[in-house]
Amino acid sequence: MPANNTSACEELIKYHKYELLLEGQHLHVRCCAHILNILVQDGMKIIHGAIDKIRELLKHVDSSPARLQDFNTIASRMGLSTKNGIYLDVPNRWNSTWKMLVEAQRYKSVLNSYASQKLEISPSEQEWKKAEAICEFLKAFEELTLTVSAHRKPTAHKFLPVVLCIRHALKDPGWQTHDVLKELALVMQTKLDKYWDPEEKENEEPNRRRKSKEIELNVALVIATFLDPRRKEDYLYFFYSKVCSNEEMVSKQVVIALDWVKKYVKEYELLAATSTAFSTPPSQGNTTIGSPIAGKRKLEEEFAQYKSRRRSRVHKSELDTYLDESCEEDTLDFDVLGWWKKSAVKYPILSSMARDFLAIPLSTVASELAFSCGGRILGDTRSSLAPEMLQALVCAKDWLFIPKGDEGQGHEG
């Protein structure tokens, strides 16, 4: 699927280059959930080796009803709920390994007691601590994957914070409490460098360094973060100060990002001017005058828009005004799209940009699920449905089924 997305974007740019904003330079946004999956999968061999004893013990318990019954007897005696079956991980789903470890940690005392009674190999206390550390490590990536996989609310403005969280997990010594986590972080960092890490490698040979030290993050996602009124330019400085090696690099990257913002603002201004020029003028013939109240409201709206345009011409641009104002307070229930909707009169150009940039999904999970759903509805034995009916069934399923918390649907390898 990622390869198909890349090919589709290349074809779009090839044949519709001049119809796209800035010739489609930032059209292709990689699926963040897929990249997160790749990062963790690179370290799964290390993880599997570190938790091998726990997995084998769980397999032993789950291998027969009698053994499971013995396990449940011990669990009941210790005040824990009984199990109908033991959760085991699947090789190509790293989050299944995390779920297995969560379950194993909960029944740690039961598993140790069971192993002692059955004379099975039991993980040592050090191995349990190692598994607990791996579990916490994977939990962070599970939460990040659910964040980027959400598809019923905007996610593009969360991209830079997600990158910082990943870097924190891989670079902060506080996370790396065991040698296995240090090794795991090193393997995953190599993959992170390939996709998202803009930090300059001072120790690399000059001919191996990136030709341009422009950040290798998609500019569209950087702009989406900039268009979050809680972050703006301040967060760009904060982000680059975390990932760049010196202050000069920080300032350079922020200037590059703001230059792209200005270029897109000019593009949207041209689009707005073209739209106004070709819009149908109001009829000057015989018209029916509505109620005075309706007319007054309309005039007030027009006056508000006129004031906004006049101020932008006489004083400063929308972009300058947006930058000069203080950032909004960061609350859990903050609605970024709602804020731009309310600010559309004040920032007509930036609000149009926000609608487009904040609509960029960070993950292709939702679209892949839609295609999978279509394949199940229009199968080999039921292939005569009209396209309209297929579309109606797919949409109805999506509208009727709203996952709790808008969570992701899993992460396949």
Side-chain angles (χ1 to χ4, degrees):
M1 192 70 177
N4 293 340
N5 291 338
T6 301
S7 300
C9 289
E10 289 174 352
E11 290 297 305
L12 274 172
I13 295 172
K14 180 179 178 181
Y15 293 105
H16 302 280
K17 182 176 181 179
Y18 300 107
E19 299 171 36
L20 301 170
L21 288 173
L22 298 180
E23 299 182 352
Q25 292 187 61
H26 309 119
L27 177 67
H28 186 198
V29 178
R30 293 180 180 273
C31 175
C32 295
H34 177 70
I35 294 175
L36 278 172
N37 181 55
I38 291 174
L39 289 179
V40 184
Q41 287 290 355
D42 269 25
M44 287 311 292
K45 291 181 180 179
I46 299 169
I47 292 175
H48 288 319
I51 62 172
D52 189 57
K53 286 185 181 179
I54 295 175
R55 182 187 292 104
E56 290 303 314
L57 184 56
L58 291 171
K59 285 182 179 178
H60 186 273
V61 173
D62 199 49
S63 62
S64 75
R67 290 172 179 175
L68 182 60
Q69 181 59 45
D70 292 340
F71 174 87
N72 284 331
T73 300
I74 299 172
S76 298
R77 192 165 61 242
M78 292 184 174
L80 294 171
S81 58
T82 58
K83 303 283 294 179
N84 293 324
I86 300 297
Y87 190 94
L88 297 171
D89 61 345
V90 180
N92 65 340
R93 288 179 179 263
W94 64 261
N95 59 328
S96 68
T97 302
W98 169 70
K99 291 176 182 178
M100 182 186 73
L101 289 176
V102 169
E103 195 82 338
Q105 291 289 329
R106 184 185 174 198
Y107 287 90
K108 173 184 173 181
S109 58
V110 179
L111 288 169
N112 284 336
S113 179
Y114 175 89
S116 177
Q117 289 184 19
K118 299 292 183 179
L119 301 179
E120 290 294 320
I121 298 175
S122 175
S124 66
E125 188 60 31
Q126 184 180 5
E127 287 170 326
W128 276 114
K129 288 181 179 179
K130 187 185 296 183
E132 183 180 359
I134 292 173
C135 186
E136 286 299 311
F137 189 83
L138 291 180
K139 180 183 177 183
F141 285 88
E142 169 74 2
E143 292 173 351
L144 290 172
T145 303
L146 293 179
T147 296
V148 301
S149 298
H151 61 278
R152 296 180 186 274
K153 52 190 175 184
T155 55
H157 61 298
K158 300 178 182 180
F159 175 71
L160 296 188
V162 165
V163 173
L164 287 186
C165 287
I166 296 170
R167 285 175 53 85
H168 175 72
L170 299 182
K171 290 178 176 289
D172 188 351
W175 278 82
Q176 299 169 21
T177 53
H178 291 272
D179 290 339
V180 66
L181 289 185
K182 293 179 183 178
E183 187 180 357
L184 176 63
L186 185 63
V187 170
M188 294 173 65
Q189 182 65 47
T190 302
K191 190 67 72 173
L192 178 67
D193 291 343
K194 177 181 177 181
Y195 288 103
W196 287 340
D197 202 330
E199 185 178 18
E200 186 172 4
K201 310 296 187 298
E202 296 293 347
N203 57 346
E204 284 186 353
E205 299 174 12
N207 61 340
R208 292 186 61 191
R209 293 180 188 172
R210 292 169 186 157
K211 294 179 182 179
S212 159
K213 292 316 296 179
E214 283 193 26
I215 190 166
E216 293 203 359
L217 305 176
N218 190 293
V219 171
L221 298 179
V222 177
I223 294 176
T225 304
F226 171 80
L227 291 172
D228 184 341
R230 297 166 296 177
R231 296 190 171 104
K232 301 187 181 181
E233 184 183 20
D234 291 344
Y235 199 87
L236 299 188
Y237 274 103
F238 173 73
F239 173 80
Y240 290 121
S241 68
K242 290 285 188 182
V243 301
C244 296
S245 54
N246 56 67
E247 285 298 322
E248 182 182 356
M249 183 77 170
V250 172
S251 299
K252 178 183 176 182
Q253 295 296 344
V254 174
V255 168
I256 290 171
L258 292 179
D259 283 345
W260 280 114
V261 171
K262 292 171 184 176
K263 289 177 183 178
Y264 274 104
V265 167
K266 288 182 179 179
E267 289 286 314
Y268 275 81
E269 286 174 344
L270 289 173
L271 288 173
T274 304
S275 176
T276 303
F278 286 93
S279 61
T280 304
S283 175
Q284 300 297 324
N286 294 330
T287 58
T288 303
I289 300 175
S291 69
I293 295 177
K296 181 182 177 183
R297 287 175 181 167
K298 183 178 179 182
L299 289 171
E300 287 175 349
E301 290 175 2
E302 291 179 359
F303 177 57
Q305 294 175 2
Y306 175 80
K307 283 194 300 182
S308 176
R309 290 195 299 269
R310 188 171 183 276
R311 284 174 182 165
S312 65
R313 289 197 302 268
V314 175
H315 297 290
K316 50 190 176 183
S317 67
E318 278 187 38
L319 184 58
D320 291 333
T321 303
Y322 177 71
L323 288 171
D324 288 344
E325 290 188 347
S326 300
C327 294
E328 293 293 317
E329 186 179 352
D330 191 1
T331 57
L332 290 175
D333 59 347
F334 184 82
D335 181 3
V336 62
L337 291 180
W339 188 91
W340 278 110
K341 184 177 181 180
K342 290 187 294 185
S343 305
V345 172
K346 187 175 184 179
Y347 303 116
I349 300 299
L350 288 179
S351 63
S352 296
M353 282 181 59
R355 283 196 298 270
D356 292 340
F357 281 88
L358 294 175
I360 299 172
L362 285 184
S363 167
T364 58
V365 170
S367 60
E368 289 173 6
L369 288 174
F371 281 109
S372 299
C373 174
R376 289 193 295 271
I377 293 173
L378 196 64
D380 294 336
T381 59
R382 194 168 65 182
S383 58
S384 60
L385 288 176
E388 294 79 8
M389 181 57 69
L390 175 63
Q391 183 181 19
L393 290 171
V394 171
C395 290
K397 179 182 181 298
D398 183 64
W399 297 335
L400 292 172
F401 176 69
I402 302 177
K404 183 179 179 182
D406 188 30
E407 296 179 347
Q409 303 293 324
H411 333 297
E412 294 191 12

